[in-house]
Amino acid sequence: MIKIWLKGLSGLGSVLVAGLAVADELNMRPGVTEISREVYDLHMLIFWICVAIGVVVFGVIFWSLIHHRKSAGHEAAQFHESTRLEIGWTLVPTLILIAMAYPATKTLVQMYDTGGEDMTVEVRGYQWKWQYKYLDEDLNSTFDFFSNLATPRDEISNRAAKGEHYLLEVDNALRIPTNRKVRFLLTSEDVIHAWWVPDFGIKRDAIPGILNELWAIVPEPGVYRGQCTELCGKDHGFMPVVVQAMPEAEYDAWYAEQVTAAEQRKEALSKTFTAEELMAEGEAVYNTFCASCHMPNGKGVPPVFPALDGSAIATGPLEDHLDIIINGKAGSAMQAFGKQLDAAQIAAVTHYERHAWSNNTGDMVQPRDVIAQMSSEQ
Amino acid sequence: MSRNIGSTGGHGRTVGKLCLMVCGMFAFGFALVPLYDMFCEVTGLGGRTGDQYAYDPASMQKDSSRLVKVNFVTNTNDGMAWEFWAESGGVRVHPGEVKEVKFYVRNPTKQRMVGQAIPSVVPGRAAQYFHKTECFCFNNQVLEPGETLEMPMRFIVDPDLPKNVPTVSLSYALFDITEMAAGNMKSRAEG
Amino acid sequence: MSEVVVAHHDDHHDHGPDKGLARWLFTTNHKDIGTLYLWFSFTMFLIGGVMALIIRTELFQPGLQFIDPAFFNQMTTNHGLIMVFGAIMPAFVGLANWLVPMMVGAPDMALPRMNNLSFWILPFAFAMLISTLFMEGGGPNFGWTFYAPLSTTYAPDTVTYFIFGVHLMGASSIMGSINIIATILNMRAPGMTLMKMPLFVWTWLITAYLLLAVMPVLAGAVTMMLFDIHFGTSFFNAAGGGDPVMFQHIFWFFGHPEVYIMILPAFGIVSQIIPTFARKPLFGYDSMVYATASIAFLSFIVWAHHMFTVGMPLAGQLFFMYSTMLIAVPTGVKVFNWTATMWRGSMTFETPMLFAIAFVILFTIGGFSGLMLAITPVDYQYHDTYFVVAHFHYVLVPGALFSIIAAVYYWLPKWCGRMYDESLGKLHFWLSFIGVNVTFFPQHFSGLAGMPRRIPDYALQFADFNMVSSIGAFIFGFSQVFFLYVLIKTIRSGEPATDRVWEGAHGLEWTLPSPAPYHSFTTPPNVTDAEAHS
């Protein structure tokens, strides 16, 4: 405990030093978009106005505290009103406020200049992840994916060293092209979330049943990180927003690739796979979505994350196994994958879990089984 | 100004008035609900669109010089199992022209379910210029297991739509109201 | 808190307090009830403080160390609810109970029996709220602002207890306010005209009206929640045609005036203390009254500045930005008036004065960050980050709380007839002053760097600021335990206080003996120019 406190004290020292050295760390980021820079300038303008007022007011107070004290022998004056002064310190602040309101209004009007966009992405908040849906020129939905926190649980529970982007990293970042006006349409599946990318200077609530919009033109390629900023339940602190801005040509290539892949996935839903295909695809899905808790060897981290190797669920009736993957398990870390993975992926990963390690149920799980199971629910 | 000592009767009038104020403000809290609804419909706050629009072709001139992009965002909420989609993600329309778009819902479950679609429009300032003459969102939908329903939605974009609004996005969020429609009070004690 | 001396006036119903527990249970005496309120709020302050320290312990380092995220949310929620409704508000009501009758020359509050009831509701309300933490599913976890649908469809089952708790707290506040208004309007001594009243009385009169205007709206909001949860209505449920954003409008229609409910009496206290220790009359009494009234009025038309990110139309955003900026004007007038009161005074720096000066400076800093938050386009970057946390803690801790502590040091000798130990008081001040700044100043930086509020774990770049903040929180927390020690020591063994207590004190309460007799002003006092504003 003492060590922690010592660390804290050294932290205090280092902050003071760091504070003097790099004022940047202490301040809002200017960001990369035109809007975010304007916001930053506005922030600095108001900050310095406040500092100026503060210097004057606190200066008068401290002058008074030093000179007008009884111990210094100062006799109290008895004045107690002055209409001129009162009018003065009502009018002057009003004028200062008007001076602030003017640029603020200008920036705000600019922020509301939606329309004329080059592309649209739908951003949908879930407890506790984001979904991004890409719309094509005719505004048809082409493909979508979920963006989950990628920080391993071991880092969160202090069993492993924390990485550089601790809690600000996701499995699939939202990708957008540079130099194009991207419009974001925000909604929510369940409770209110808020989508924020500090470097773009934009933040808006994602509200169930209500649509909101935002836009950004990002001039520089890069990875931009933010977080959900509206309390949305237990894992509110664990749903980061990560946006990767790519050079236009690179983005176009990626986009075309995704559209083709989405079409293939759609076809896969009606296909019958061989056991080998299921195992290969299943292993890939498993390593992406399941292995961080249940471990690549299927042993899990009991008692928090149960082992799948030899588990009653993974070797029991298929229906129960699918149910837990599709709907999750209430009150545990097991989330529902029904909306996040498509039927082919669920079929593959289920098949994999039933045949990997020492498990061998000998059955086959096809996409149509998953579709049938999902349809029979409720 | 003189005070009234020893008898609380003297406070009766004050207390009475203050109690009236409390009751008034309690009622005002509830009155905020319809007031807010009215305010939303007039200003388009929250992207609310109006009820069924009485279309009078004579009163509305088609503006062929202008094309407005209208896109549709369809979602089911709270993990509802229905499939819900529009025949196309968006259309381009001239203001003043009546346009029909088909929406579809499918109930893949083995139960009879009731759904209700909730509309929302961005930008908010376009909401009052977006008129629906026919919409599935005016009623709820009852679907038998496995049933698919085609739902036409007819709308007109008002020619008065501000010039700086080139795109209007219309979102429908579909909610499962089976329990609510059955008059089942949602009881936490049971849940 | 008071060691009571039976008054021997020409009082025909002359009697002292009952003995034992019955005295406190059945008391209708404004001084007893004031004492009950103050001790109750101090207890709640310590409970809410422990929750704050649990939060700061978890946030000391990145990673999850001590509590899980679900419990963390319960801590932030209950910390907020308890500090707002259990600590700050009852403390002000307690001060009003003790001081308003003595300041206006009344023998007691206007409605003594209701006074008893409005206090005794509170322990039940908070017992109900806190008990939820031990129930299955845990206590309220949706933030003190309880936005729907997180607080309705997605709430734990205990939300119903929370709703009834809020109803009870509201009923208590409403009764307390009616009582204070009736006392001020009907029971002033002859000659105590409205514009002669001490500013503490003025600010409380306006606060009480604010409470009567908005507590019923809060009651309405939680009633709608109750109906949504249990009776199938859809006030806030989008599925049934309701609107979750409407909840926020109704909540903040209550919530913003609520913020001023917690600061206006503080303005009053500081306006009593600064003239005393500057030995100079308050500068601009009339403008202070008008500024208070305009702040109260403006508080009704700025609520949506808490909701700049919900997606209001441009015109709405602009309206709420301008009206919010306008609040800076009357608030500025107050700060300038206090400064002018100190100017060319003959100041001494006893503990109440130290807390009052710290109030003026630190509250002004909170005001500056408030002005920054009012600017809508920039607010998008501040909204729901630690910058907001820093802002409202600056106006509530060195603001509202410091004023309450200042008031306790200032009037304690009058209440219990004993003087506190000045050097202990000063030590308490400096510990609190350092603690509060070390805790909350770095939070401006973590907010600007992008740390959202209400998160149990954070990215590495916020680590240093959080560590400093946690250390400050423990310094501040322990200095309030030290405050308890100073209080007990004073009440038990402080030096006897004089009747006037402070050299520069003016006001009817200082014409009474110390400690103030159990029954005071049973015959109306003469209101001389020296004891009232003229």
Side-chain angles (χ1 to χ4, degrees), chain C residues 349-393:
Chain C
F349 302 98
E350 287 85 347
T351 309
M353 182 61 163
L354 289 176
F355 275 103
I357 295 170
F359 170 95
V360 174
I361 292 172
L362 299 181
F363 174 79
T364 304
I365 292 178
F368 286 144
S369 54
L371 181 58
M372 295 170 82
L373 283 159
I375 311 294
T376 315
V378 196
D379 176 76
Y380 293 138
Q381 295 288 57
Y382 307 142
H383 181 91
D384 254 342
T385 67
Y386 260 78
F387 191 78
V388 177
V389 177
H391 159 71
F392 68 72
H393 280 96

XYZ file of all heavy atoms in Angstrom, chain C residues 349-393:
365
model
N -9.218 37.387 9.473
C -9.404 36.125 8.741
C -9.661 34.952 9.676
O -8.864 34.031 9.780
C -8.193 35.878 7.845
C -7.978 37.001 6.872
C -7.053 38.002 7.128
C -8.751 37.077 5.726
C -6.893 39.052 6.248
C -8.584 38.134 4.833
C -7.654 39.121 5.088
N -10.775 35.027 10.394
C -11.200 33.883 11.181
C -11.706 32.798 10.225
O -11.994 33.062 9.045
C -12.299 34.292 12.173
C -11.800 35.121 13.344
C -11.712 36.607 13.019
O -11.801 36.978 11.825
O -11.560 37.410 13.963
N -11.875 31.574 10.750
C -12.219 30.435 9.886
C -13.418 30.688 8.968
O -13.338 30.387 7.772
C -12.442 29.184 10.750
O -11.318 29.050 11.615
C -12.571 27.944 9.901
N -14.537 31.252 9.476
C -15.669 31.455 8.544
C -15.282 32.351 7.376
O -15.700 32.116 6.242
C -16.740 32.136 9.406
C -16.329 31.981 10.802
C -14.855 31.709 10.838
N -14.463 33.370 7.647
C -14.049 34.290 6.592
C -13.159 33.570 5.582
O -13.282 33.773 4.368
C -13.313 35.482 7.212
C -12.885 36.537 6.203
S -14.302 37.281 5.335
C -13.529 38.752 4.675
N -12.275 32.706 6.085
C -11.408 31.968 5.158
C -12.253 31.131 4.200
O -12.036 31.132 2.989
C -10.447 31.069 5.939
C -9.344 31.789 6.707
C -8.517 30.785 7.505
C -8.449 32.565 5.752
N -13.229 30.410 4.771
C -14.083 29.595 3.908
C -14.870 30.480 2.939
O -15.083 30.116 1.783
C -15.034 28.734 4.740
C -14.424 27.429 5.182
C -13.977 27.248 6.478
C -14.276 26.379 4.284
C -13.409 26.044 6.876
C -13.705 25.168 4.676
C -13.271 25.001 5.985
N -15.310 31.656 3.400
C -16.097 32.532 2.530
C -15.248 33.078 1.388
O -15.697 33.151 0.240
C -16.702 33.676 3.343
N -13.998 33.444 1.687
C -13.134 33.961 0.620
C -12.822 32.850 -0.381
O -12.867 33.055 -1.605
C -11.829 34.549 1.201
C -12.161 35.782 2.051
C -10.854 34.922 0.084
C -10.993 36.295 2.856
N -12.534 31.647 0.160
C -12.285 30.510 -0.729
C -13.510 30.264 -1.592
O -13.399 29.950 -2.787
C -11.943 29.267 0.074
N -14.692 30.437 -0.997
C -15.918 30.283 -1.766
C -15.916 31.227 -2.955
O -16.149 30.824 -4.090
C -17.136 30.563 -0.872
C -18.439 30.663 -1.630
C -19.257 29.557 -1.763
C -18.847 31.859 -2.219
C -20.442 29.634 -2.479
C -20.021 31.945 -2.935
C -20.832 30.828 -3.062
N -15.654 32.513 -2.689
C -15.741 33.503 -3.767
C -14.781 33.150 -4.895
O -15.147 33.144 -6.075
C -15.448 34.916 -3.229
C -15.397 35.920 -4.380
C -16.497 35.322 -2.213
N -13.550 32.785 -4.535
C -12.546 32.522 -5.577
C -12.842 31.227 -6.321
O -12.888 31.190 -7.553
C -11.145 32.495 -4.944
C -10.800 33.911 -4.461
C -10.103 31.995 -5.954
C -9.548 34.005 -3.660
N -13.089 30.145 -5.572
C -13.249 28.851 -6.230
C -14.585 28.757 -6.941
O -14.692 28.151 -8.010
C -13.072 27.713 -5.224
C -11.687 27.687 -4.555
C -11.578 26.516 -3.592
C -10.582 27.616 -5.585
N -15.617 29.378 -6.369
C -16.897 29.394 -7.072
C -16.750 30.139 -8.394
O -17.334 29.749 -9.414
C -17.985 30.049 -6.212
C -19.279 30.227 -6.952
C -20.135 29.159 -7.117
C -19.625 31.447 -7.523
C -21.319 29.304 -7.828
C -20.795 31.600 -8.236
C -21.646 30.527 -8.380
N -15.959 31.202 -8.389
C -15.743 31.944 -9.634
C -15.049 31.072 -10.672
O -15.387 31.109 -11.861
C -14.925 33.213 -9.347
O -15.615 33.965 -8.355
C -14.765 34.056 -10.593
N -14.090 30.260 -10.220
C -13.439 29.338 -11.165
C -14.475 28.379 -11.744
O -14.509 28.125 -12.955
C -12.289 28.577 -10.461
C -11.168 29.559 -10.138
C -11.784 27.431 -11.340
C -10.004 28.954 -9.407
N -15.358 27.860 -10.869
C -16.443 27.000 -11.347
C -17.346 27.750 -12.317
O -17.875 27.179 -13.269
N -17.521 29.054 -12.078
C -18.332 29.875 -12.973
C -17.683 30.015 -14.340
O -18.360 29.949 -15.367
N -16.356 30.172 -14.339
C -15.638 30.269 -15.615
C -15.824 28.994 -16.434
O -16.123 29.050 -17.630
C -14.139 30.510 -15.387
C -13.814 31.911 -14.940
C -12.791 32.148 -14.034
C -14.533 32.994 -15.416
C -12.488 33.436 -13.618
C -14.227 34.289 -15.002
C -13.200 34.504 -14.101
N -15.624 27.836 -15.785
C -15.785 26.603 -16.563
C -17.241 26.470 -17.000
O -17.523 25.916 -18.066
C -15.306 25.384 -15.788
O -15.932 25.298 -14.538
N -18.169 27.007 -16.197
C -19.576 26.985 -16.583
C -19.813 27.806 -17.837
O -20.546 27.397 -18.743
N -19.152 28.956 -17.895
C -19.286 29.808 -19.084
C -18.731 29.087 -20.309
O -19.318 29.120 -21.396
C -18.531 31.120 -18.841
C -18.587 32.141 -19.970
C -20.028 32.506 -20.275
C -17.805 33.380 -19.597
N -17.604 28.391 -20.127
C -17.033 27.644 -21.250
C -18.006 26.566 -21.717
O -18.198 26.343 -22.909
C -15.693 27.006 -20.844
C -14.630 28.049 -20.520
S -13.154 27.351 -19.762
C -12.284 26.762 -21.204
N -18.652 25.898 -20.742
C -19.595 24.829 -21.078
C -20.834 25.363 -21.782
O -21.523 24.636 -22.493
C -20.021 24.093 -19.802
C -18.993 23.118 -19.237
C -19.258 22.859 -17.771
C -19.024 21.815 -20.010
N -21.126 26.655 -21.580
C -22.324 27.223 -22.195
C -22.174 27.367 -23.699
O -23.152 27.427 -24.430
C -22.627 28.590 -21.582
N -20.924 27.436 -24.179
C -20.685 27.676 -25.597
C -20.918 26.360 -26.349
O -20.057 25.472 -26.368
C -19.233 28.157 -25.833
C -18.894 29.290 -24.878
C -19.018 28.563 -27.275
C -19.659 30.555 -25.086
N -22.079 26.247 -26.993
C -22.506 24.960 -27.560
C -21.450 24.234 -28.388
O -21.176 23.059 -28.121
C -23.772 25.155 -28.406
O -24.665 25.977 -27.680
C -24.434 23.841 -28.712
N -20.835 24.875 -29.402
C -19.921 24.085 -30.235
C -18.754 23.518 -29.435
O -18.252 22.440 -29.750
C -19.437 25.082 -31.300
C -19.890 26.415 -30.873
C -20.969 26.269 -29.871
N -18.315 24.241 -28.421
C -17.204 23.737 -27.621
C -17.713 22.704 -26.616
O -17.013 21.764 -26.256
C -16.483 24.888 -26.890
C -15.136 24.431 -26.406
C -16.338 26.082 -27.789
N -18.964 22.883 -26.211
C -19.544 21.933 -25.246
C -19.541 20.514 -25.788
O -19.438 19.558 -25.024
C -20.967 22.342 -24.880
C -21.617 21.314 -23.957
O -21.266 21.313 -22.770
O -22.433 20.507 -24.431
N -19.632 20.384 -27.123
C -19.577 19.019 -27.675
C -18.310 18.304 -27.218
O -18.316 17.103 -26.992
C -19.605 19.058 -29.207
C -20.915 19.552 -29.784
C -20.943 20.434 -30.849
C -22.124 19.109 -29.256
C -22.150 20.878 -31.376
C -23.327 19.551 -29.781
C -23.331 20.432 -30.837
O -24.517 20.866 -31.354
N -17.225 19.047 -27.096
C -15.976 18.416 -26.645
C -15.947 18.212 -25.130
O -15.262 17.319 -24.648
C -14.769 19.269 -27.062
C -14.546 19.378 -28.557
C -14.034 18.091 -29.190
O -14.665 17.042 -29.083
N -12.894 18.153 -29.848
N -16.659 19.051 -24.368
C -16.641 18.926 -22.902
C -17.710 17.958 -22.404
O -17.556 17.366 -21.343
C -16.936 20.253 -22.217
C -16.094 21.452 -22.603
C -16.686 22.714 -22.713
C -14.727 21.337 -22.794
C -15.933 23.830 -23.032
C -13.970 22.459 -23.111
C -14.579 23.704 -23.230
O -13.838 24.804 -23.531
N -18.809 17.877 -23.155
C -20.006 17.201 -22.656
C -19.718 15.803 -22.125
O -19.100 14.987 -22.804
C -21.052 17.125 -23.777
C -22.322 16.462 -23.363
N -23.393 17.150 -22.847
C -22.694 15.167 -23.341
C -24.351 16.308 -22.547
N -23.959 15.092 -22.834
N -20.180 15.541 -20.907
C -20.037 14.216 -20.293
C -18.588 13.759 -20.142
O -18.304 12.577 -20.112
C -20.844 13.157 -21.058
C -22.098 12.763 -20.276
O -22.131 13.048 -19.066
O -23.014 12.179 -20.857
N -17.660 14.710 -20.043
C -16.287 14.344 -19.708
C -16.002 14.815 -18.280
O -16.843 15.438 -17.635
C -15.261 15.032 -20.626
O -15.295 16.438 -20.348
C -15.560 14.778 -22.088
N -14.784 14.549 -17.828
C -14.408 14.992 -16.483
C -14.344 16.506 -16.368
O -14.316 17.032 -15.264
C -13.081 14.343 -16.055
C -13.366 13.180 -15.148
C -13.793 11.967 -15.666
C -13.301 13.316 -13.764
C -14.130 10.920 -14.839
C -13.636 12.272 -12.940
C -14.048 11.072 -13.478
O -14.395 10.049 -12.650
N -14.334 17.217 -17.488
C -14.373 18.675 -17.413
C -15.673 19.103 -16.736
O -15.701 20.026 -15.917
C -14.276 19.275 -18.819
C -14.034 20.762 -18.815
C -12.768 21.262 -18.564
C -15.071 21.647 -19.060
C -12.540 22.628 -18.550
C -14.845 23.022 -19.044
C -13.576 23.509 -18.791
N -16.769 18.410 -17.064
C -18.055 18.691 -16.439
C -18.017 18.313 -14.960
O -18.513 19.042 -14.106
C -19.183 17.933 -17.171
C -20.507 18.169 -16.492
C -19.241 18.336 -18.624
N -17.383 17.174 -14.684
C -17.269 16.733 -13.289
C -16.518 17.790 -12.484
O -16.926 18.179 -11.387
C -16.559 15.369 -13.219
C -16.373 14.935 -11.776
C -17.349 14.321 -13.988
N -15.403 18.273 -13.051
C -14.629 19.306 -12.370
C -15.489 20.549 -12.165
O -15.515 21.131 -11.076
C -13.385 19.649 -13.186
N -16.220 20.945 -13.205
C -17.047 22.150 -13.125
C -18.064 22.058 -11.993
O -18.127 22.916 -11.120
C -17.776 22.391 -14.452
C -18.977 23.268 -14.325
N -18.873 24.618 -14.064
C -20.302 23.000 -14.367
C -20.085 25.138 -13.973
N -20.966 24.173 -14.145
N -18.872 20.994 -11.980
C -19.944 21.028 -10.973
C -19.437 20.717 -9.582
O -20.048 21.119 -8.606
C -21.171 20.210 -11.385
C -21.008 18.722 -11.455
C -20.890 17.972 -10.303
C -21.052 18.073 -12.679
C -20.776 16.601 -10.376
C -20.936 16.699 -12.763
C -20.789 15.956 -11.596
N -18.280 20.032 -9.483
C -17.733 19.883 -8.134
C -17.144 21.208 -7.644
O -17.195 21.485 -6.451
C -16.710 18.754 -8.081
C -17.362 17.400 -7.994
N -17.589 16.606 -9.082
C -17.876 16.721 -6.937
C -18.191 15.490 -8.702
N -18.395 15.536 -7.413
